[in-house]
Amino acid sequence: MDLTHSPADEAFRAEARTWLGAHVPARPLPSLETAEGFAAHRAWEAELGADRWSVVSWPAAYGGRDCGLVRWLLFEEEYYAAGAPGRVGQNGVSLLAPTLLVHGTEEQRVRILPPMARGEVVWAQAWSEPEAGSDLASLRSRAVRTDGGWLLSGQKTWSSRAAFADRAFGLFRSEPDMPKPHQGLTYLMFDLRAPGVTVRPIGRLDGKPAFAEIFLDEVFVPDEDVIGGPGRGWRIAMSTAGDERGLTLRSPGRFLASADRLAALWHGRGRDPFTRDRVADAVIGARAYQLFTYAAASRFLDGEALGPESSLNKVFWSEYDVALHETALDLLGADGEPADGDWAEGYLFSLAGPIYAGTNEIQRDIIAERLLGLPRGRR
Amino acid sequence: MRFLLDAEQTAFARSLDALLTAADTPAVVRSWGAGDPAAGRALWSRLADAGVFALAVPEAYEGLGRRPVELAVAFVELGRHAVPGPLAETVAAAVLLTGPGPAKRFLPGLAAGRTIATVALPGGGPYVLDTDASDMELTVTGTGSAAETGTGTGSAGAELRVTQASGSPPASRVRRSLDAARRLSLPRAGGELLDAGPQVAAGAAEALRWARLTTAAQALGVGLALLDRTVAYVKRRSQFGVPVGSFQAVRHRLADAKIALEFARPLLFGAALSMDPADIAAAKVTACEAAYATARTALQLHGAIGYTAEYDLSLWLTRARALRSAWGGPGECRAAVLGTDALSGGARRCS
Ligand SMILES: Cc1cc2nc3c(=O)[nH]c(=O)nc-3n(C[C@H](O)[C@H](O)[C@H](O)COP(=O)(O)OP(=O)(O)OC[C@H]3O[C@@H](n4cnc5c(N)ncnc54)[C@H](O)[C@@H]3O)c2cc1C
């Protein structure tokens, strides 16, 4: 049991803090869910990437610092404490890259990862379809064999930031006659500006337009953009370096910074007695999430597989995030209503957390079956 | 940074689990609650042999040195097996008695399990626990409002007193707790003066921290036991031709209990590492809320059998409720986290 960091890790933290102190924009960037904000955030990714701070845990060869999970956690704590911008590259960095690091070819890694690290290519996740949400394996978009590659057709939807992103990754049905729905799927990458692709922005609850649906009409994709081999898509997509992703989807640093801001707001607003307990719970929750993540990282570094434990994470942070923002809005009262306020923006975004990345109902099923060993129910 | 129990700590937990599993603790709990502490005392000395109480006692007084992490490990197991008695109180007593005079006289007995102690501290609630089954009762008085910092005005008049078993209250003065295993009485005035002055107030503040930490650990153990038993039950119990554990309404409640308990655990061990009052308060409120929510779930999912005193589940159900109020309830602990209680005196940044 040890929560102290080695001098080398602390030196890394200090280096990150110094860099962030010198580079974090003085004024917040416009929302990355808008065209203007997207461009500003892309420039910020480039600035991070230039000094190898965009993907610290990646191998140096692809633009990272090869620094391991603990330093990644420290970096994230510093990042959010410094008030640095949200990460427009997140889908690529936290979902596609870990998959390529494990299942991709070296050619793919060299071609795809460095431009991702520099924000030159921003990726969208194209998994969901109109009829395939929680039951993702029921997806219908097709990949049909053609000379030197595949032709993609069908429709993807709810793709975050696809309206402004460059490329996307998703699953396609390449062998339609398999007995089980998750068989015969292929994991592919495609260009969002290729001929045959139509992207239609969908306004989110907060009115921001970066969310989109994607229509595909015989879009050509070369063989080199298949991840992990034809027909093996489900396994590859689900494994997605599964363990680490469970830890890195949402870093504790983000919630520690938010809880700090909330506590400061509460102290500054006369220590409102009506929200006191919930403010305390927000502070406690951030700490709990941080320590839970440190324990998980320790197990991961010991070589243990984390697997379904990441479902505990997912439910915790998503419900925590909503509660934190609801508390802030209750504390602010009418001052919290204007939609451009930080807390109001954060609140509207937090509401999606229990829905995306696998709904919390689906996560609870995973916990029940795989962590508690309860019998499978009807789905 | 390796925020995990090491092999020795895990083995310690396992050995206590084995000891307690073999001890048939439900029977011990029931006789303790009925006013017959013999089986409880026998178990107490076996726990002492395993080193449990020595973990709160410095080596100079026949202890193992103050080791809060190991103590937390042990108390999770005590909670998991619903061990009765003034457990957190005996730990608090060991911390209180570390002053130069009393240490030599009392600590070896506490470490060895020959002595069961209970304590009444400012900020610790109106009742003393299990004084009729204890060998001594310690009281701290006169600390003023700044009891826990030991720095405020009034701490100069703080006094630590002891009364020995011979002066225990008659059984008729013992009040039942809503947890049938907890026996409550009002603290007694008087007794032998052991120490006086500001150091007593400081010692009381420290003792409160240790009582709170070990209570949090016990609560986590209680919650884990309730979850385990309920998971086992819903796999076994069938209605409508299927195990009730296959119903999503049931599965999701248990998943929530699992989440709550698994996020209380790191707070507990983080607090044991830092011994920071705000961290301890955070661990206490979180472990107790998680255990209590799990108790409600456990009762609901057991149906009527869970509501009977005969069925052993009741021993954990009511314990969860009692521990929630012991040594600082949810409101007090939350105030301590925000640094606004009278005790911690100032804002504190998270992390
Ligand atoms: C802001 C936001 C961003 C998103 N970004 C992306 C993205 O970038 N890429 C992408 O591919 N997708 C994205 N999604 C889509 C997201 O992954 C899906 O919304 C999610 O998988 C749920 O699918 P659905 O919306 O079709 O809901 P449905 O699956 O139709 O579910 C509706 C309700 O029924 C419940 N339900 C379904 N099945 C069960 C069951 N077996 N047991 C109990 N309850 C059940 C669900 O939990 C939910 O409450 C995003 C969604 C949001 C809100």
Side-chain angles (χ1 to χ4, degrees):
Chain A
M1 275 268 132
D2 180 18
L3 271 173
T4 59
H5 299 295
S6 70
D9 288 351
E10 287 296 353
F12 172 87
R13 187 209 278 275
E15 191 190 347
R17 183 180 297 177
T18 304
W19 190 91
L20 290 162
H23 289 80
V24 169
R27 279 195 300 148
L29 305 181
S31 165
L32 63 79
E33 306 293 341
T34 62
E36 179 203 7
F38 201 89
H41 280 78
R42 197 196 275 273
W44 167 247
E45 289 293 309
E47 196 173 340
L48 279 170
D51 287 336
R52 290 189 301 125
W53 291 110
S54 62
V55 286
V56 292
S57 64
W58 289 10
Y62 310 128
R65 291 175 176 249
D66 219 349
C67 72
L69 260 182
V70 170
R71 287 191 190 177
W72 175 77
L73 288 166
L74 295 179
F75 172 75
E76 291 278 300
E77 285 174 19
E78 292 302 323
Y79 187 88
Y80 286 100
R87 299 292 303 275
V88 73
Q90 172 169 301
N91 275 331
V93 169
S94 74
L95 294 167
L96 177 60
T99 307
L100 291 179
L101 286 168
V102 178
H103 302 283
T105 64
E106 183 56 17
E107 184 278 324
Q108 287 173 331
R109 289 193 280 262
V110 169
R111 175 163 52 94
I112 291 164
L113 296 181
M116 186 194 290
R118 295 189 296 266
E120 285 162 25
V121 178
V122 177
W123 290 82
Q125 179 199 11
W127 283 22
S128 303
E129 296 186 5
E131 307 297 327
S134 300
D135 183 13
L136 181 63
S138 68
L139 64 89
R140 295 181 193 164
S141 294
R142 305 178 307 282
V144 177
R145 203 90 193 75
T146 188
D147 243 12
W150 302 80
L151 292 173
L152 310 185
S153 297
Q155 184 187 350
K156 299 287 180 177
T157 191
W158 315 130
S159 188
S160 291
R161 298 181 277 281
F164 309 120
D166 306 294
R167 304 199 73 201
F169 51 95
L171 288 166
F172 292 83
R173 196 163 293 289
S174 52
E175 298 159 60
D177 301 324
M178 301 300 276
K180 297 239 173 83
H182 56 269
Q183 294 170 339
L185 301 176
T186 297
Y187 202 10
L188 290 140
M189 300 175 274
F190 60 96
D191 207 314
L192 283 167
R193 295 190 198 95
V197 178
T198 308
V199 177
R200 187 185 78 84
I202 307 169
R204 300 195 312 191
L205 195 57
D206 59 8
K208 309 262 168 62
F211 207 34
E213 56 188 337
I214 304 168
F215 300 89
L216 300 141
D217 181 15
E218 306 217 320
V219 177
F220 176 76
V221 170
D223 280 326
E224 71 222 38
D225 279 345
V226 171
I227 307 172
R232 301 181 61 227
W234 185 257
R235 219 179 55 90
I236 305 288
M238 291 304 117
S239 81
T240 308
D243 287 337
E244 196 171 345
R245 187 179 105 203
L247 294 179
T248 55
L249 185 62
R250 278 287 177 278
S251 77
R254 173 176 177 140
F255 299 116
L256 288 167
S258 298
D260 257 5
R261 283 176 53 227
L262 178 63
L265 183 71
W266 182 79
H267 282 289
R269 289 204 154 225
R271 301 181 171 185
D272 169 44
F274 302 105
T275 46
R276 183 196 72 171
D277 285 0
R278 290 157 62 203
V279 172
D281 283 347
V283 171
I284 294 169
R287 177 76 172 158
Y289 188 58
Q290 177 193 35
L291 294 176
F292 182 91
T293 307
Y294 275 126
S298 300
R299 283 200 298 278
F300 185 75
L301 295 172
D302 275 6
E304 244 183 77
L306 302 177
E309 302 237 327
S310 58
S311 295
L312 299 172
N313 264 21
K314 163 71 209 312
V315 178
F316 186 88
W317 68 249
S318 59
E319 297 196 340
Y320 170 83
D321 202 23
V322 176
L324 172 105
H325 284 90
E326 283 175 337
T327 303
L329 291 189
D330 287 347
L331 173 58
L332 286 166
D335 291 342
E337 189 178 338
D340 55 356
D342 286 358
W343 289 110
E345 271 192 23
Y347 166 72
L348 287 173
F349 182 60
S350 75
L351 292 178
I355 300 172
Y356 63 73
T359 70
N360 285 7
E361 286 73 29
I362 298 296
Q363 304 307 317
R364 286 186 170 92
D365 270 346
I366 295 172
I367 293 165
E369 270 164 37
R370 294 177 57 199
L371 293 176
L372 297 177
L374 291 172
R376 271 184 86 87
R378 254 178 63 86
R379 293 251 169 169
Chain B
M1 210 302 294
R2 187 174 176 284
F3 186 52
L4 285 182
L5 296 177
D6 63 29
E8 209 175 308
Q9 290 160 336
T10 312
F12 179 48
R14 233 181 275 123
S15 72
L16 286 177
D17 181 38
L19 184 162
L20 291 165
T21 303
D24 186 16
T25 49
V28 177
V29 181
R30 289 177 191 283
S31 60
W32 183 277
D36 171 11
R41 292 198 65 105
L43 182 58
W44 195 280
S45 75
R46 298 187 54 207
L47 290 169
D49 291 344
V52 170
F53 303 106
L55 292 167
V57 173
E59 279 167 288
Y61 304 106
E62 297 171 34
L64 293 166
R66 295 259 188 90
R67 291 162 69 176
V69 173
E70 282 76 8
L71 206 54
V73 167
F75 270 68
V76 170
E77 295 309 314
L78 302 182
R80 268 183 5 102
H81 292 274
V83 174
L87 294 157
E89 291 72 14
T90 292
V91 167
V95 173
L96 262 182
L97 290 168
T98 302
K104 217 168 147 198
R105 185 167 140 206
F106 296 110
L107 288 184
L110 288 177
R114 289 189 302 276
T115 317
I116 296 180
T118 191
V119 295
L121 296 178
Y127 298 110
V128 269
L129 180 65
D130 295 330
T131 192
D132 56 322
S134 302
D135 303 296
M136 61 175 178
E137 177 179 325
L138 296 168
T139 48
V140 173
T141 52
T143 58
S145 62
E148 299 186 31
T149 59
T151 56
T153 51
S155 66
E159 290 183 350
L160 169 63
R161 290 178 182 272
V162 64
T163 35
Q164 306 279 343
S166 53
S168 283
S172 62
R173 282 191 36 216
V174 172
R175 297 190 63 176
R176 277 175 50 106
S177 153
L178 52 76
D179 172 2
R182 287 167 65 91
R183 302 169 60 82
L184 310 173
S185 42
L186 291 170
R188 266 156 316 138
E192 179 192 343
L193 182 67
L194 289 178
D195 199 1
Q199 74 281 7
V200 169
E206 206 187 342
L208 187 67
R209 288 216 297 272
W210 288 69
R212 220 173 241 186
L213 178 80
T214 47
T215 304
Q218 248 178 301
L220 176 61
V222 167
L224 293 170
L226 285 163
L227 177 61
D228 281 352
R229 289 177 161 256
T230 308
V231 165
Y233 183 76
V234 300
K235 284 196 219 175
R236 233 173 28 235
R237 173 75 176 168
S238 271
Q239 291 291 299
F240 305 99
V242 291
V244 295
S246 65
F247 298 126
Q248 209 171 46
V250 168
R251 291 147 51 95
H252 285 194
R253 278 194 82 157
L254 291 169
D256 282 335
K258 173 79 175 164
I259 294 166
L261 293 165
E262 289 309 327
F263 280 87
R265 192 196 300 271
L267 284 173
L268 172 69
F269 289 106
L273 282 175
S274 75
M275 289 306 281
D276 178 299
D279 290 347
I280 293 171
K284 167 76 168 60
V285 65
T286 308
C288 287
E289 298 271 45
Y292 183 62
T294 305
R296 293 286 321 279
T297 291
L299 173 57
Q300 186 65 24
L301 299 189
H302 274 79
I305 192 160
Y307 192 70
T308 62
E310 287 168 21
Y311 193 64
D312 284 345
L313 190 75
S314 62
L315 308 179
W316 284 268
L317 288 174
T318 52
R319 185 72 49 84
R321 179 64 240 184
L323 293 180
R324 196 163 181 253
S325 313
W327 299 111
E332 271 168 287
C333 287
R334 288 183 169 114
V337 167
L338 290 176
T340 58
D341 58 338
L343 316 170
S344 67
R348 177 180 178 273
R349 275 171 62 87
C350 160
S351 91

